[in-house]
Amino acid sequence: MAGATVVGVGMTEFGVHGKTLPELFADAAFPALDDAGVEQDELDAFYFGNAMSGLSENDTHLAPKVATHIGMTDVPFQRFEDACATSANAFKNAVQAVGAGVHDTVLVGGVERCTPETGMETPEMTRVFASASHRQYEQPSGLTFPGVFALLTKRHMHEYGTTEEQLAEVAVKNHYHGNMNDRAHFGGDKTVEEVLDGPVVADPFRLMDCCPFSDGASAVVVTSDGLGDSFGAEGVDVTGVGHGVDAVPLADKDSLPETKSARDGAHEAYDDADVTPGDVDFAEIHDCFTGAEVLATEALGFFEDGEGGPAAAEGKTRLGGEVPVNPSGGLKAKGHPIGATGTAQITELTEQIRGEVGERQVEDARTGVAHNLGGDSGTTVITVMEERA
Ligand code: COA
């Protein structure tokens, strides 16, 4: 058992924000503390995630600056960076620290700004993101992240016959879910035809297959299992964590569509929680591109290899389906401020299991899984959360 409980969550709307990184993080951190009913002097540590601010904002050693802004300079703070899996890794480390008795109660979260508010338009931000690909073997070829996931998805299409229509169904579903989330960057009812009519970004992905560049922040308060009933809010238990890894660059991987890091991370987390994929009621998945969601639903064991595309087209991953995926709208519609994405997924898991999300509520949501993938799947952090026994 991971032995930790989430007792408070907070996040900003994902979208375009004119605030500094510390200001934006405060807008998630204080609501998380309020939600938990935790006073700052009850916290033992601050685990903070940010992926790109050195390149995107000329701002490094950010943890002390953010800690100063939110008045948390009395406890140890540290920054985590794992590309898009940044705050999930901060969260995993916090869970393990409270589980091991190193700390009792920790504030964990992340913040990122990726929109033109940083002064960078899409081409420059695309180059910043591409710093997560291999410096010697991939960057010189011009490989960017839409291209990385296009390669993984093309291979999946080649091996299993997955179609562009099936990918488009993922976008339609996640926009439908995002429509019910007032913190989502994009809502809007899309049709498969609209997705397929969009401009090509990286074949097979069109505009609506891609997550946007977003600004945003998220934060959670995690405490030890034993203290899980000591705070104001209803606690949700973290029963399993897994940290899968794989070789980078892409050429060094044994398989592209298998996403080994996700499979290994899922096995570890399921073993830790003593659950099987069939026990999972819903999942928040790293759908940076529609194809990534299809691959992940297979890696997490929800569907056999090659069945992820048909399952999406048959509505199995929609609210009300067999295993609803990304009820928040996912990265596709909710948005993807990379360092904030991991703990935003934990926020959605917590609020779903508490039954607080209104019309996008998953029925009988007792066990949820978060899948947060970093870079070209070199890192994937998987978290299992369950209703408190
Ligand atoms: N989903 C839905 N709508 C989107 C969108 C998205 N991902 N991205 C942009 N839009 C909308 C905009 O609101 C705008 O609508 P409008 O014309 O009604 O105002 C329109 O589409 C064009 O937006 P624009 O900002 O000009 O798009 P762009 O061409 O600069 O960038 C992408 C679009 C898809 C290329 C860019 O968002 C992208 O590269 N996304 C992937 C980011 C990424 O790689 N993340 C890391 C993942 S691992």
Side-chain angles (χ1 to χ4, degrees):
M1 294 280 281
T5 304
V6 171
V7 290
V9 295
M11 64 179 278
T12 66
E13 190 178 319
F14 284 1
V16 182
H17 289 277
K19 296 188 170 184
T20 66
L21 291 168
E23 288 168 347
L24 196 52
F25 186 75
D27 288 348
F30 290 125
L33 295 173
D34 283 350
D35 185 34
V38 166
E39 299 297 329
Q40 268 172 290
D41 61 9
E42 294 177 275
L43 295 167
D44 302 310
F46 172 35
Y47 285 25
F48 169 74
N50 172 273
M52 297 292 175
S53 65
L55 289 168
S56 57
E57 312 235 18
N58 194 35
D59 207 353
T60 56
H61 204 205
L62 202 57
K65 301 174 197 173
V66 171
T68 302
H69 187 74
I70 62 171
M72 275 198 66
T73 46
D74 290 337
V75 296
F77 41 74
Q78 57 183 312
R79 171 183 169 171
F80 292 79
E81 186 275 298
D82 250 310
C84 301
T86 284
S87 55
N89 198 15
F91 179 74
K92 181 207 80 172
N93 277 274
V95 164
Q96 291 178 335
V98 299
V102 176
H103 302 303
D104 284 335
T105 307
V106 180
L107 177 69
V108 196
V111 64
E112 204 86 43
R113 299 198 316 161
C114 309
T115 71
E117 286 295 320
T118 56
M120 293 197 194
E121 300 287 336
T122 295
E124 292 83 37
M125 195 52 76
T126 299
R127 184 179 53 77
V128 166
F129 277 36
S131 66
S133 66
H134 198 284
R135 179 76 185 105
Q136 284 72 39
Y137 296 125
E138 293 179 330
Q139 292 180 30
S141 73
L143 189 65
T144 61
F145 273 88
V148 165
F149 284 89
L151 286 169
L152 303 185
T153 304
K154 272 284 187 191
R155 187 69 207 177
H156 195 271
M157 295 167 94
H158 172 76
E159 288 187 19
Y160 301 111
T162 305
T163 66
E164 289 186 24
E165 286 76 10
Q166 291 165 353
L167 301 178
E169 293 279 8
V170 173
V172 170
K173 176 208 31 114
N174 288 347
H175 275 276
Y176 165 68
H177 292 170
N179 245 343
M180 295 180 259
N181 184 353
D182 57 12
R183 293 178 303 207
H185 193 161
F186 287 108
D189 286 321
K190 308 287 175 204
T191 63
V192 168
E193 293 69 31
E194 280 173 304
V195 177
L196 295 176
D197 276 351
V200 173
V201 174
D203 182 35
F205 299 140
R206 295 167 188 273
L207 175 66
M208 288 299 146
D209 287 289
C210 307
C211 68
F213 290 114
S214 315
D215 307 326
S218 61
V220 306
V221 178
V222 60
T223 191
S224 62
D225 191 27
L227 291 173
D229 295 322
S230 315
F231 299 100
E234 180 188 337
V236 177
D237 286 341
V238 184
T239 53
V241 287
H243 183 158
V245 296
D246 198 2
V248 170
L250 292 178
D252 278 13
K253 295 186 197 298
D254 290 336
S255 159
L256 293 185
E258 271 191 16
T259 52
K260 172 184 173 296
S261 62
R263 283 171 199 244
D264 291 353
H267 279 137
E268 189 186 350
Y270 291 155
D271 281 354
D272 194 21
D274 197 19
V275 299
T276 67
D279 297 322
V280 175
D281 298 316
F282 70 102
E284 283 289 305
I285 279 181
H286 196 89
D287 60 325
C288 46
F289 301 92
T290 51
E293 180 172 311
V294 169
L295 270 53
T297 57
E298 296 171 8
L300 289 170
F302 300 150
F303 308 110
E304 295 293 322
D305 290 351
E307 291 302 316
E314 288 160 19
K316 291 183 178 171
T317 52
R318 232 173 208 259
L319 272 173
E322 207 172 282
V323 53
V325 169
N326 285 323
S328 69
L331 284 58
K332 170 72 270 280
K334 184 183 62 188
H336 185 27
I338 46 181
T341 286
T343 37
Q345 292 180 326
I346 300 302
T347 298
E348 180 72 12
L349 258 54
T350 303
E351 292 182 342
Q352 283 281 354
I353 292 171
R354 285 179 182 170
E356 293 176 345
V357 294
E359 54 182 339
R360 68 175 196 284
Q361 181 66 50
V362 174
E363 209 179 323
D364 296 327
R366 295 199 179 89
T367 302
V369 167
H371 158 283
N372 191 200
L373 175 153
D376 45 6
S377 82
T379 307
T380 306
V381 178
I382 308 284
T383 309
V384 180
M385 293 183 69
E386 296 183 72
E387 192 175 52
R388 209 161 152 72

